[in-house]
Amino acid sequence: ANRKRGLTAECSSRWAGWITKNSNDMWQTARRNQRRHLADLDNAIATIEEKLALPIHSSAERKKLRATLAEAAKTENRKPRTLYFGYRSAHEHAMKRMRLDHLKSERDKLKKDLDDSVVHITRGGKYLMKNRLHLEETGIDENTWRAEWYAKRRSFGANGETSKLFGNETIRVHLDGTVEIDLPEKFSHLANVTKFGTTRYRMEAKAVFPYRTDDWLAQVRANRAIAYEVVLAAFGRIYLDASFTPTVSSTMVALRDILADPAQRILSLDLNHGFLAPAVLDHSGNLLGRPAHISLVTEDLPATTRDGHLRQAITEVLDMADLYGCHLIAVENLGFHEMRASGREEQRSSPWFQKVVCGMPTAQFCNRLVAMASRRGILVVGVPAAYSSIWGAQYWQGTLSSKSHKISKHTAAAVVLGRRALGYRARCKAQASPGVTVPDQRIEEAGQPAGTESYHEPSTNGKRPGGKGTPKLPRREGIGHRARGRPKTANARSGDPRLAKTVRVSRVSLKGT
């Protein structure tokens, strides 16, 4: 508040409010990052100390110990116990002791900064600042670096105000795209619009919003708050960013209403390295549609390119939900936060850890999906991801596949996630009587009436249990006696067990495909 009062005397309250708010947001973000980094350091230190306390075992010794315990468990008819090992060699043990000292030193410095309320912020980015010392390695000259450095550091904006003309008094954008900026008192001599005592500067170029133009026009016509920010590019162009809350919010259906409606469908997503595996389920947890996988490549890409790929993948997901009429999206909770903090100490440099754990933007995907889905009135629920891939491949991949179309294990995992969101079992329940349909199983469980024999009991030599043989059934009318080319089929008898009705997966009508 004191900084804002001091800046207001030099410019205006609107400019001072934007400057102080922008600085405070950067400071609070840096403080949150410090606390998060401190928690990660504590997890890494605890992991190293735990492994250093264990004895050293090489890969061959570990394999031998596991085999010995497995043989002992097999003899005693029990499951083998889990073994916890330290590091594999004395060299690795010594290197981890050195890393432990480094992490403790870094933790002490971070704690001191937190106690003194000190944050380290570089306007323009630390990466670009470090490039100034290595211009030859980066392949750019000093003039190019300075142009990019000034562009990153020079930007200004203004917060919106409700019930003001066009939603902003400081940076005013008309319906035709004309931009006017309210100048502070020190720059009033540069104004080219002085009508009624105003000191504004009107730009010759007009602003064009190629994305969500209709939403922006609705905000401007209703005089609702719109915040603008002017961003400079290194190659000389100027961009105007607008942010606002939509005039009419999308109607969101309650989760309990969606789960209670038998006509509702759900779209479940299985997150993988490089793609998303979707599956469409009905209210009963049955697979209706098997859409193609959605590409999501984010590895070794710049932040802006990665963000664009993320938005494109989420847009395809939401378009797919609209196509199949789904008002609910189920996605697995994959934070990987704790694993990323201590994974380097446990997984070392394994390809699985580098690609799957560090290469998937799980937190950004979930946050962006919730924000973009809310604008379309679609709910997003997070479900546990435990054993989804294992149970999907074991119970659902073969069941839902056919000779003409085989689903992947990732689509089967998406089916498990969707069933969990609907409140159903993830695994298939084994049949009590193999070869018997589900309605007949219910009849059998309820018990037979007195004096009635169970038709599930197998017969011997074509006879009823304890009775005489049963004659063949008469021929049915309309069936030829000498049908050529037809395979011979066995005639069902009244005394034989009832044959199960088998439905081929390839003949089931898949709605929505």
Side-chain angles (χ1 to χ4, degrees), residues 127 297-310 364:
Y127 179 78
V297 180
T298 58
E299 188 178 6
D300 299 333
L301 293 177
T304 53
T305 308
R306 183 174 64 249
D307 185 73
H309 287 196
L310 198 62
Q364 294 181 8

Side-chain angles (χ1 to χ4, degrees), residues 177-281:
T178 303
V179 181
E180 293 182 357
I181 300 177
D182 188 11
L183 298 177
E185 185 178 355
K186 291 184 177 181
F187 300 99
S188 59
H189 60 281
L190 300 175
N192 55 11
V193 178
T194 57
K195 189 177 181 179
F196 302 114
T198 59
T199 55
R200 292 180 174 274
Y201 183 84
R202 178 176 296 176
M203 295 186 177
E204 296 180 359
K206 294 185 178 181
V208 178
F209 295 98
Y211 176 66
R212 299 180 64 186
T213 307
D214 297 336
D215 296 343
W216 173 77
L217 289 175
Q219 293 287 122
V220 172
R221 292 191 180 101
N223 294 331
R224 292 174 60 90
I226 305 177
Y228 294 105
E229 184 176 3
V230 180
V231 182
L232 281 71
F235 45 85
R237 300 194 66 177
I238 301 176
Y239 294 93
L240 181 65
D241 297 338
S243 57
F244 52 86
T245 303
T247 306
V248 180
S249 59
S250 303
T251 56
M252 302 292 293
V253 184
L255 180 60
R256 59 178 179 273
D257 297 337
I258 293 180
L259 298 179
D261 188 2
Q264 289 289 350
R265 298 179 178 182
I266 180 174
L267 176 64
S268 57
L269 298 174
D270 179 50
L271 278 68
N272 301 280
H273 176 65
F275 65 94
L276 306 173
V280 181
L281 307 179

Side-chain angles (χ1 to χ4, degrees), residues 320-342:
M320 186 181 298
D322 294 336
L323 178 63
Y324 287 93
C326 302
H327 294 86
L328 180 65
I329 297 178
V331 63
E332 52 186 339
N333 287 330
L334 290 177
F336 288 149
H337 180 69
E338 296 182 358
M339 188 176 294
R340 285 171 181 169
S342 59

Side-chain angles (χ1 to χ4, degrees), residues 408-419:
S408 64
K409 62 179 181 180
H410 307 288
T411 304
V415 173
V416 173
L417 297 173
R419 290 179 61 85

Side-chain angles (χ1 to χ4, degrees), residues 324-402:
Y324 287 93
C326 302
H327 294 86
L328 180 65
I329 297 178
V331 63
E332 52 186 339
N333 287 330
L334 290 177
F336 288 149
H337 180 69
E338 296 182 358
M339 188 176 294
R340 285 171 181 169
S342 59
R344 177 179 175 181
E345 321 306 333
E346 296 178 353
Q347 305 292 336
R348 298 193 297 175
S349 58
S350 62
W352 174 83
F353 177 75
Q354 294 178 357
K355 290 184 178 181
V356 178
V357 178
C358 299
M360 295 172 56
T362 53
Q364 294 181 8
F365 176 80
C366 293
N367 296 336
R368 195 68 53 81
L369 178 62
V370 171
M372 297 178 65
S374 62
R375 292 200 293 264
R376 301 199 187 188
I378 300 176
L379 290 179
V380 179
V381 295
V383 294
Y387 304 102
S388 58
S389 300
I390 299 175
W391 289 345
Q394 182 178 358
Y395 295 100
W396 297 103
Q397 186 179 8
T399 305
L400 300 176
S401 298
S402 62

